[in-house]
Amino acid sequence: MKKIAFVTGGVVSSLGKGIIASSLGRLLIDNNINVGMMKCDPYLNIDPGTMSPIEHGEVFVTVDGGETDLDIGHYERFLGKNLTKESSLTSGKIYQEVLDKERRGEYNGKTVQIVPHITNHIKEKIYKLAENYDLLIVEVGGSIGDIESLAYIETIRQIKYELSDDAIVIHAGFVPLIKVSNELKTKPMQRSVNLLRSLGVSPEILITRSEVELSEREVEKIGMFATVKKEYIFQCVDEKSIYKIPISLMKQNFPRKIAALLNLNISSRDIKEKHYELINFNEKLNNLESEVKIAIVGKYVSNADSYISIVESLKHAGINNKIKIKYDLINSRNYLVNSLKNYDGILVPGGFGNDGTIGKMEAIKFARENNIPFLGICFGMQLAILEFAKNVCNLNVEHGELQIDAEYKIIDIMEDMKDKIIGGTMRLGNYQCSIKNHTLAREIYGNKLINERHRHRYEFNNKFTNDLKKEGMIISGIHPKTNLAEIIELPKNDFFIGVQFHPELSSKLTKPNKLIEAFIKAALKNKK
């Protein structure tokens, strides 16, 4: 029997539906429930892969190569498990598949409509994924009332009708604090619930989002006008860390109430025992002993979500080692090199295109020459190679993406990627990396063979391996089948590593990525 919990939000977006959904998932997993997650995004892009990080935040990549919304990253980090591309659904993907079926004549000449064809296809995707779990949590992006999300709300209505008590809706609503009068206003929450009900969907659970805690009177008021009993109204008050949200919801018996509504058998173990990892993690978070400052040098800094997985992976590594992470997003288009003197570590993340690359290369050079712990990720690794080749090896080489017509390309596009369309054609998902003995990477990972996630189109040109090696840069990790470079190091520096993959994507709440963790430890050792 399929069991599904939908998470919706009203009035405004960015209410934290993803964190609420992730928190519920983690709390139920700790209660021995097999939980799956799905995000439904109403936009018409097939996936976020071609969307600007400034527009939409980072693109999260699943192990099987799906380019997904950043909320999938939150799900994975909180749940401590890997998801697949099936956990990400967009209107663009739905419409494309329905129209492809229409072109193939699969609808037998019928008029193709939003209802039933689009809604049926959405249901098919949700039901198929739900079969793999005790409970599937489905978050619907945007806010109630958005034109583009109406098909999803209608789908929820139908699923609730079809599954009856095995489907519930958790609705998060905004309760603003009017600071002039110091009053919490419940009307926005009431309105969003009423709008949802007008579309045929009545939520069983309400979660209030507010700066401060609501009084019992305010909770009762919401319950009366939203027709939801107050014992099914939970509060999600602003916290200094998103990792405190599961603990807050746990204290309100949130997972137990959800389990009771859906007739799920949850663990009878003591709370401290079943939520040990979460509680222990938060205890560490409250008792950080040291501090490091990290410079993240990139060009998408106007939207902090562009680097959300990197930031969260740094926090995971820091908290698990009782180290407070202070970080700054430094615009590679206009920063001053001298400002980097104040940082204990420098990280250059991935990116695309010419814009901002000079600043990134100056940051890489500064880290190399001043022996500051450096981690280059994806494009960051490629620029580390280019900077070294130009300034140390004195090679007349270029990056193939930055100068397409260059005669000598030390970074070039993969042969099987040439002449392909942009969307979904990169090297995506998990790939193996074989790490050489007696290298820093081998010391960090402890294994010869690792798996990490990729998202790129260009590779290091192996013709220049010896040129780099002569001056002290080594290729310490390669893809075993293709011999493509995966990891580069400068052994003469204390910590200077570039990786073609994205280690931040595999970091989990209580299991930080080993490379990110080693970078933070090196930064602490280098502390100014």
Side-chain angles (χ1 to χ4, degrees), residues 31 123 208 433:
N31 280 281
K123 279 197 293 184
T208 61
C433 171

Side-chain angles (χ1 to χ4, degrees), residues 435-447 489 514:
I435 305 177
K436 296 178 181 178
N437 292 327
H438 312 299
T439 60
L440 181 57
R442 183 64 178 271
E443 180 185 329
I444 290 169
Y445 278 101
N447 296 318
E489 298 180 17
K514 290 182 178 180

Side-chain angles (χ1 to χ4, degrees), residues 22 37 39 71-79 83 139:
S22 301
M37 306 284 293
K39 174 71 183 297
D71 275 310
I72 305 300
H74 283 311
Y75 302 162
E76 287 202 4
R77 289 188 285 271
F78 273 72
L79 270 61
L83 302 175
E139 177 194 351

Side-chain angles (χ1 to χ4, degrees), residues 21-49:
S22 301
S23 297
L24 173 60
R26 177 56 189 255
L27 291 170
L28 289 175
I29 281 177
D30 285 351
N31 280 281
N32 296 332
I33 304 297
N34 182 17
V35 176
M37 306 284 293
M38 175 183 268
K39 174 71 183 297
C40 295
D41 279 301
Y43 51 73
L44 291 179
N45 302 68
I46 305 302
D47 58 47

Side-chain angles (χ1 to χ4, degrees), residues 91 274 385 439:
S91 291
K274 60 188 175 187
I385 292 172
T439 60

